[in-house]
Every structure is written in C-alpha cells, then in structure tokens.
Amino acid sequence: MSFGIDDLPVRDELRGKSPYGAPQLDVPVRLNTNENPYPLPEPLVERITERVRQAARHLNRYPDRDAVELRTRLAEYLTKTAGHPVAAENVWAANGSNEVIQQLLQTFGGPGRTAIGFEPSYSMHGLIARGTGTGWISGPRGEDFTIDLAAAEKAIAEHRPDVVFITTPNNPTGNAVPPETVLALYEAAQAAKPSMVVVDEAYIEFSHGDSLLRLLDGRPNLVVSRTMSKAFGAAGLRLGYLAAHPAVVDAVQLVRLPYHLSAITQATALAALEHTDTLLKYVERLKAERDRLVAELRALGYDVTESDANFVQFGRFEDSHAAWREILDRGVLVRDNGVPGWLRVTAGTPAENDAFLDAVRDIKKEQSA
Ligand SMILES: Cc1ncc(COP(=O)(O)O)c(C=O)c1O
C-alpha cells in the first residue's frame, strides 16, 4: 500500500475526508459549476492587459495591503446597484468569496465555536468551518427548500452558534430568502448569543429581488458577502468581497495574510469594475435563459425549484445519480449536489441550454417509449 494522507500526522477532523470539487470532465457542454458562459468582452481584455502591464512594472514591491482603490471602486459599484450608500471602509476584498468566508470564520469562529447553515446549501460553508476548526451545525430547511422560520429560530436558540450563514439566492436550490426571514434570523441570532450573520449573496445579481445591503445600517453583526465569479463572469480572477460595519473590516484584518491580494488581482478586478455596464448586460441574457430553462423543464413534467440564480434545481428522480449519468451520456455535464431526487443545471449560452434540453427531452422520450 502506498503512503497516503492518513499516514501523515494530519488533524483528526481531516482524516478520511475528500477535497471539495465538482468533477471536471471533458464533455462538450459543461453546466455544472454555475460559471458565467460568456468570455470577457475584448475591450475589457484589452483594458486588463493595460492595467496588468502597468502593475507588472511595480512587481518588485508588495501590493497595496489594504487594496484601497479596489475597495473604493467596489463600494461605488454596490452603491450604484443596491441603491444604498456603501463606503470603502465598509468593504473588504479577498481571493474569492471563499477566502472572505474563511477570514470571517477565522475571526468569528474557530476552536470551541460553532457555525450554522440551513441545508442543503453551499457546502463550502461547512467545509471552511471544518478547515478553521469551527464546529458545524446543519440547520433545517423545509420540504420545498425554503427556510422554515420557526424551525430555524429554534435551531439558533438551541445551538447558540457564533456564526449564522444565510445564502440568498441559495445554492444548490436556487430560491431566494425573503428579507423578513433574514431580519428575523438576525434578531434570533442576537438574542441567542449575539452572533455574526453572514448573508452569502454570490448570485444576487441574477435575483428578482434586491440585495440585502440596505439592512446593514444599525446591524453591526450583519455581513453581506459577494463575488465577481458569477455575474461579472470572472471566476478565474478569484475576487470576492464583503460589505459590513467598518469594525468587521477591521476585525478580519486580524487574520488576513499580509498582501493576500496580489497586485495583478487588484489590477484585473479594477479593470473589470470599469466595465460593469457591459458585464451586467450578460446577466440579463442569463436571467432570460434561466427562466426559459425553468419553463421548458416544467413543460416536460419536471419539478423545478423557483430560481433567483443562474442555475436551476430540477427533479424528482428516483436515483439522481443515474439521471446525472444519463444526461452525461448525451454530452451534457450537470451537477449532482447530493440532494436526494434532484439535480442542478447552470444556465449556459442559448446553444448550451438547447443541448441540455434536447438531452432531457430525449431521456423523457425513451422513458415513455
Ligand atoms: C453560495 C456561494 N458562495 C460562494 C461561492 C464561492 O465563490 P468564489 O469563491 O468563486 O467567490 C460560491 C461558488 O460557487 C457559491 O455558490
């Protein structure tokens, strides 16, 4: 037997575990990781090149440790799109919202502390909790995948977690959490501990509803986390950010690595933020394609969870893994998130979505033959 992880003196809670990751298979149509299917427009690629060339001239120096220009531009973007004033001192940025979440758990979670999420939800919340030594509590969700407020409040009162995650729109189910529910859970979390409430808005630009940024005023224990990986079509950039009370921004700086955001990352993100208007036009296209997927899947007889995101959860399957395989056999990769009876498809280009719909239509036809 070859030498493996478990032969090393790794932490007990990591033994026997596998790393996070969707299968990366080489198939013609990949609709499994909620990426934006549209490459960045050429004028933006040119602008990135210019900005990066400029930054390259100073790579002998460490980058701006506090990423002030980037945080200022992110604050402007939030102010413009959420209709609520946000200042640079309210914003913090890191390498993807996964790193934002990790910094939050390093700051407010950690050994002897716990975090809760309402599952099924974004599984990295629990995995980052484990990586930071934070105990993870799997909170309940209703049969229809909405958060059952009474059950969620009960779980918070019982476990008194230090961090509460609310993902809206939720991944993998797609549905948004009403603002009243977020407010009620915030109150419940303050009464129980008080604890930090992290609203993960990775998909908010695709939502029918508004961002919850406007709830930040007067709620210093509330954090909204965002990403440029989805709406901005820049998953490869690795840029996530949060908005919160300035004290939260000060607090996460206690755990961030110095110079965690490279000068190249900052330059690229700044270029992308100069092109928000163009990038957000793709969001409108993707929302229309998402709605088409919902309508066509329903017309084919599938159950579909309401979606406010750039993906759609559909079912129900007796064996979702077998259904995943059948779709894959037709050249389309969707995601089996381990939610029994359900699969998730990301809204791609119209041609990719057609390929997916042809595949499921073909499966239905075969079943009824
Ligand atoms: C709900 C949610 N939050 C955060 C992320 C992480 O995004 P990133 O680290 O690319 O910013 C994802 C990615 O799929 C997600 O689904």
Side-chain angles (χ1 to χ4, degrees), residues 1 9 20 30 49 81 101-102 133 211 235 247 270 286 291 334 357 369:
M1 271 246 292
Y20 174 89
R30 280 185 292 171
T49 312
T81 50
I101 292 161
Q102 183 178 52
S211 163
L270 281 165
L286 288 168
D291 291 343
V334 296
L357 288 166

Side-chain angles (χ1 to χ4, degrees), residues 6 100 193 303:
D6 288 341
V100 169
K193 193 86 188 193
D303 280 353

